Amino acid sequence: MESVVNVFTISNVIMCGASVRMAFMHRQGDITARNAFLGTALSSLFSGFFMVWIGPFAMGDIFNNLLISRACFAVIVGLNAVFILDTILKTEEVVEGRRDRKAQDYQGRVLVDTMGYVFPVAWGMPLILMTGYIASILHDRPWFMEQCQFIDGMRGTPLGVMQSHIFYQQLSTSLAASYASLFVTLRDKRLISKSQELGGITLFSMPALVWSIFTTIIFTSFLFMEH
Protein backbone atom coordinates (compact mmCIF):
# COMPACT_ATOMS: atom_id res chain seq x y z
CA MET A 1 0.00 0.00 0.00
CA GLU A 2 2.82 2.40 0.83
CA SER A 3 4.32 1.99 -2.65
CA VAL A 4 0.93 2.80 -4.19
CA VAL A 5 0.70 5.98 -2.10
CA ASN A 6 4.23 6.96 -3.13
CA VAL A 7 3.36 6.51 -6.81
CA PHE A 8 0.12 8.49 -6.40
CA THR A 9 1.95 11.31 -4.61
CA ILE A 10 4.57 11.59 -7.34
CA SER A 11 1.93 11.44 -10.08
CA ASN A 12 -0.16 14.06 -8.26
CA VAL A 13 2.77 16.48 -8.16
CA ILE A 14 3.53 15.83 -11.85
CA MET A 15 -0.14 16.30 -12.81
CA CYS A 16 -0.38 19.57 -10.88
CA GLY A 17 2.83 20.78 -12.49
CA ALA A 18 1.47 19.90 -15.92
CA SER A 19 -1.80 21.72 -15.13
CA VAL A 20 0.10 24.84 -14.10
CA ARG A 21 2.16 24.67 -17.31
CA MET A 22 -0.98 24.26 -19.43
CA ALA A 23 -2.68 27.14 -17.63
CA PHE A 24 0.14 29.53 -18.47
CA MET A 25 0.73 28.22 -21.99
CA HIS A 26 -2.82 27.79 -23.29
CA ARG A 27 -4.83 30.28 -21.23
CA GLN A 28 -2.60 33.35 -21.45
CA GLY A 29 -5.35 35.42 -23.01
CA ASP A 30 -7.95 34.53 -20.39
CA ILE A 31 -6.64 35.35 -16.92
CA THR A 32 -9.87 34.36 -15.18
CA ALA A 33 -9.95 30.89 -16.75
CA ARG A 34 -6.23 30.50 -16.07
CA ASN A 35 -6.63 31.30 -12.38
CA ALA A 36 -9.63 28.98 -12.07
CA PHE A 37 -7.56 26.21 -13.64
CA LEU A 38 -4.69 26.97 -11.24
CA GLY A 39 -7.08 26.93 -8.29
CA THR A 40 -8.31 23.48 -9.26
CA ALA A 41 -4.76 22.16 -9.61
CA LEU A 42 -3.73 23.61 -6.23
CA SER A 43 -6.84 22.14 -4.59
CA SER A 44 -5.82 18.73 -5.87
CA LEU A 45 -2.27 19.34 -4.64
CA PHE A 46 -3.49 20.26 -1.16
CA SER A 47 -5.55 17.07 -0.91
CA GLY A 48 -2.58 15.01 -2.08
CA PHE A 49 -0.32 16.75 0.42
CA PHE A 50 -2.72 16.28 3.33
CA MET A 51 -3.28 12.65 2.35
CA VAL A 52 0.46 12.07 2.85
CA TRP A 53 0.43 14.24 6.00
CA ILE A 54 -2.35 12.21 7.66
CA GLY A 55 -1.15 8.85 6.31
CA PRO A 56 0.54 6.18 8.44
CA PHE A 57 3.48 5.78 6.09
CA ALA A 58 7.10 6.84 6.48
CA MET A 59 6.80 9.54 3.83
CA GLY A 60 4.59 11.58 6.16
CA ASP A 61 6.94 11.44 9.14
CA ILE A 62 8.85 14.47 7.87
CA PHE A 63 5.83 16.56 8.86
CA ASN A 64 6.34 15.67 12.51
CA ASN A 65 8.77 18.58 12.31
CA LEU A 66 6.45 21.48 13.11
CA LEU A 67 8.49 24.02 11.14
CA ILE A 68 8.37 21.94 7.95
CA SER A 69 4.69 21.17 8.45
CA ARG A 70 3.77 24.83 8.98
CA ALA A 71 5.86 25.97 6.03
CA CYS A 72 4.11 23.49 3.69
CA PHE A 73 0.68 24.42 4.99
CA ALA A 74 1.44 28.14 4.67
CA VAL A 75 2.52 27.86 1.02
CA ILE A 76 -0.16 25.46 -0.19
CA VAL A 77 -3.06 26.95 1.80
CA GLY A 78 -1.97 30.48 0.87
CA LEU A 79 -1.87 29.72 -2.86
CA ASN A 80 -5.23 27.93 -2.67
CA ALA A 81 -6.80 30.91 -0.94
CA VAL A 82 -5.52 33.36 -3.56
CA PHE A 83 -6.66 31.45 -6.64
CA ILE A 84 -9.92 30.07 -5.24
CA LEU A 85 -10.91 33.52 -3.99
CA ASP A 86 -10.10 34.96 -7.40
CA THR A 87 -12.46 32.43 -8.99
CA ILE A 88 -15.22 33.26 -6.52
CA LEU A 89 -14.87 37.01 -7.06
CA LYS A 90 -14.93 36.54 -10.84
CA THR A 91 -17.83 34.09 -10.93
CA GLU A 92 -19.61 36.02 -13.67
CA GLU A 93 -16.56 35.94 -15.93
CA VAL A 94 -15.97 32.24 -15.32
CA VAL A 95 -19.59 31.38 -16.12
CA GLU A 96 -19.62 33.54 -19.24
CA GLY A 97 -16.34 32.02 -20.40
CA ARG A 98 -17.78 28.49 -20.25
CA ARG A 99 -21.07 29.40 -21.98
CA ASP A 100 -21.95 27.37 -25.05
CA ARG A 101 -22.51 30.12 -27.59
CA LYS A 102 -23.91 27.73 -30.17
CA ALA A 103 -26.70 26.53 -27.89
CA GLN A 104 -29.90 28.41 -27.13
CA ASP A 105 -29.81 30.23 -23.80
CA TYR A 106 -32.35 29.27 -21.14
CA GLN A 107 -33.59 30.57 -17.82
CA GLY A 108 -31.46 29.32 -14.95
CA ARG A 109 -28.35 28.72 -17.07
CA VAL A 110 -26.24 31.09 -14.97
CA LEU A 111 -27.20 29.25 -11.77
CA VAL A 112 -26.52 25.84 -13.32
CA ASP A 113 -23.15 26.96 -14.67
CA THR A 114 -22.21 28.58 -11.35
CA MET A 115 -22.96 25.34 -9.51
CA GLY A 116 -21.11 23.35 -12.15
CA TYR A 117 -17.97 25.45 -12.61
CA VAL A 118 -17.49 27.68 -9.55
CA PHE A 119 -19.01 25.72 -6.68
CA PRO A 120 -16.73 22.65 -7.11
CA VAL A 121 -13.75 25.00 -6.75
CA ALA A 122 -15.21 27.21 -4.01
CA TRP A 123 -16.51 24.62 -1.55
CA GLY A 124 -13.01 23.42 -0.74
CA MET A 125 -11.81 26.82 0.50
CA PRO A 126 -13.36 26.85 4.02
CA LEU A 127 -12.34 23.22 4.58
CA ILE A 128 -8.77 23.89 3.45
CA LEU A 129 -8.49 26.96 5.70
CA MET A 130 -9.95 25.12 8.69
CA THR A 131 -7.70 22.10 8.17
CA GLY A 132 -4.61 24.28 7.91
CA TYR A 133 -5.57 26.21 11.05
CA ILE A 134 -6.24 23.12 13.18
CA ALA A 135 -3.35 21.02 11.89
CA SER A 136 -0.56 23.60 11.80
CA ILE A 137 -1.50 26.56 14.02
CA LEU A 138 -3.61 25.18 16.88
CA HIS A 139 -1.94 21.77 16.92
CA ASP A 140 0.57 19.57 15.10
CA ARG A 141 0.74 16.18 13.39
CA PRO A 142 1.31 14.05 16.55
CA TRP A 143 -1.73 15.68 18.17
CA PHE A 144 -3.79 15.06 15.03
CA MET A 145 -2.89 11.37 15.09
CA GLU A 146 -3.77 11.10 18.78
CA GLN A 147 -7.06 12.89 18.14
CA CYS A 148 -7.96 10.34 15.46
CA GLN A 149 -7.31 7.53 17.94
CA PHE A 150 -9.38 9.37 20.57
CA ILE A 151 -12.29 9.62 18.11
CA ASP A 152 -11.99 5.90 17.34
CA GLY A 153 -12.17 5.14 21.06
CA MET A 154 -15.19 7.39 21.60
CA ARG A 155 -17.02 5.89 18.62
CA GLY A 156 -16.09 2.32 19.52
CA THR A 157 -14.32 1.65 16.23
CA PRO A 158 -10.92 -0.05 15.81
CA LEU A 159 -7.86 2.20 16.04
CA GLY A 160 -6.93 3.65 12.67
CA VAL A 161 -10.47 3.92 11.29
CA MET A 162 -10.70 7.72 11.58
CA GLN A 163 -7.22 8.21 10.19
CA SER A 164 -8.05 5.94 7.24
CA HIS A 165 -11.36 7.75 6.77
CA ILE A 166 -9.60 11.11 6.40
CA PHE A 167 -6.87 9.57 4.23
CA TYR A 168 -9.29 8.18 1.64
CA GLN A 169 -11.50 11.27 1.82
CA GLN A 170 -8.49 13.37 0.80
CA LEU A 171 -7.82 10.92 -2.01
CA SER A 172 -11.38 11.42 -3.28
CA THR A 173 -11.09 15.23 -3.27
CA SER A 174 -7.74 15.13 -5.03
CA LEU A 175 -9.15 12.89 -7.76
CA ALA A 176 -12.29 15.05 -8.05
CA ALA A 177 -10.20 18.16 -8.72
CA SER A 178 -8.00 16.29 -11.19
CA TYR A 179 -10.97 14.95 -13.14
CA ALA A 180 -12.59 18.40 -13.17
CA SER A 181 -9.51 19.76 -14.94
CA LEU A 182 -9.61 16.80 -17.34
CA PHE A 183 -13.24 17.38 -18.33
CA VAL A 184 -12.64 21.10 -18.86
CA THR A 185 -9.64 20.30 -21.06
CA LEU A 186 -11.58 17.71 -23.06
CA ARG A 187 -14.31 20.22 -23.82
CA ASP A 188 -11.76 22.88 -24.76
CA LYS A 189 -10.43 20.39 -27.30
CA ARG A 190 -14.03 19.79 -28.50
CA LEU A 191 -13.93 16.13 -27.58
CA ILE A 192 -16.99 16.31 -25.32
CA SER A 193 -20.06 18.54 -25.08
CA LYS A 194 -20.82 21.06 -22.36
CA SER A 195 -23.43 18.77 -20.77
CA GLN A 196 -20.89 15.95 -20.65
CA GLU A 197 -18.34 18.32 -19.14
CA LEU A 198 -20.72 19.44 -16.39
CA GLY A 199 -21.90 15.87 -15.82
CA GLY A 200 -18.34 14.62 -15.41
CA ILE A 201 -17.39 17.39 -12.99
CA THR A 202 -20.51 16.80 -10.89
CA LEU A 203 -20.05 13.01 -10.91
CA PHE A 204 -16.76 13.31 -9.05
CA SER A 205 -17.15 16.56 -7.10
CA MET A 206 -20.48 15.96 -5.37
CA PRO A 207 -19.58 12.63 -3.69
CA ALA A 208 -16.29 14.23 -2.57
CA LEU A 209 -18.24 17.17 -1.13
CA VAL A 210 -20.64 14.93 0.81
CA TRP A 211 -17.77 12.81 2.12
CA SER A 212 -15.83 15.93 3.15
CA ILE A 213 -18.79 17.37 5.06
CA PHE A 214 -19.40 14.04 6.79
CA THR A 215 -15.73 13.75 7.79
CA THR A 216 -15.62 17.34 9.03
CA ILE A 217 -18.73 16.88 11.19
CA ILE A 218 -17.30 13.75 12.81
CA PHE A 219 -13.88 15.28 13.49
CA THR A 220 -15.08 18.66 14.80
CA SER A 221 -17.75 17.10 17.03
CA PHE A 222 -14.94 15.64 19.17
CA LEU A 223 -12.58 18.60 18.84
CA PHE A 224 -13.16 20.20 22.24
CA MET A 225 -13.70 17.08 24.31
CA GLU A 226 -11.18 16.38 27.04
CA HIS A 227 -9.03 13.29 26.55
Side-chain angles (χ1 to χ4, degrees):
M1 181 63 181
E2 184 172 4
S3 59
V4 174
V5 173
N6 292 341
V7 171
F8 174 81
T9 301
I10 294 171
S11 63
N12 179 259
V13 172
I14 294 173
M15 184 280 299
C16 290
S19 294
V20 170
R21 179 175 175 273
M22 287 179 61
F24 281 102
M25 287 186 61
H26 301 293
R27 290 174 169 81
Q28 292 180 352
D30 189 346
I31 304 300
T32 301
R34 185 198 69 186
N35 289 350
F37 208 74
L38 289 173
T40 304
L42 288 166
S43 179
S44 176
L45 182 63
F46 174 83
S47 294
F49 155 70
F50 194 64
M51 187 186 75
V52 174
W53 192 93
I54 192 63
F57 308 112
M59 182 186 293
D61 290 345
I62 188 175
F63 300 117
N64 287 331
N65 184 305
L66 186 58
L67 183 61
I68 295 176
S69 180
R70 283 180 172 174
C72 290
F73 269 108
V75 172
I76 299 177
V77 172
L79 289 173
N80 267 277
V82 169
F83 287 104
I84 292 176
L85 185 60
D86 181 80
T87 299
I88 295 172
L89 293 176
K90 296 178 179 176
T91 294
E92 186 177 346
E93 295 178 41
V94 173
V95 170
E96 182 62 22
R98 302 308 298 172
R99 183 166 67 90
D100 186 353
R101 288 166 174 77
K102 294 181 179 180
Q104 184 177 358
D105 205 359
Y106 60 91
Q107 187 175 5
R109 176 192 61 80
V110 173
L111 177 61
V112 171
D113 287 359
T114 299
M115 295 300 295
Y117 295 116
V118 179
F119 184 67
V121 178
W123 69 255
M125 186 172 177
L127 299 180
I128 289 172
L129 292 175
M130 185 183 70
T131 301
Y133 180 69
I134 294 174
S136 67
I137 297 178
L138 282 183
H139 303 288
D140 56 14
R141 187 171 183 263
W143 175 89
F144 212 94
M145 298 300 189
E146 291 177 7
Q147 183 68 8
C148 287
Q149 294 180 359
F150 172 71
I151 294 173
D152 287 334
M154 294 296 292
R155 298 179 68 209
T157 56
L159 292 180
V161 169
M162 190 63 202
Q163 183 181 2
S164 298
H165 189 85
I166 298 174
F167 178 88
Y168 288 110
Q169 178 261 322
Q170 291 299 314
L171 175 61
S172 74
T173 54
S174 181
L175 289 175
S178 298
Y179 277 108
S181 297
L182 173 63
F183 288 119
V184 169
T185 301
L186 289 176
R187 185 184 164 210
D188 286 346
K189 294 182 177 296
R190 301 180 180 179
L191 297 175
I192 60 174
S193 66
K194 178 182 176 180
S195 60
Q196 291 172 323
E197 175 194 30
L198 285 173
I201 293 172
T202 303
L203 179 65
F204 288 94
S205 65
M206 291 310 296
L209 169 61
V210 174
W211 196 352
S212 297
I213 293 174
F214 178 67
T215 303
T216 301
I217 291 173
I218 293 176
F219 192 87
T220 54
S221 63
F222 294 95
L223 191 58
F224 301 106
M225 290 186 180
E226 293 185 4
H227 289 218

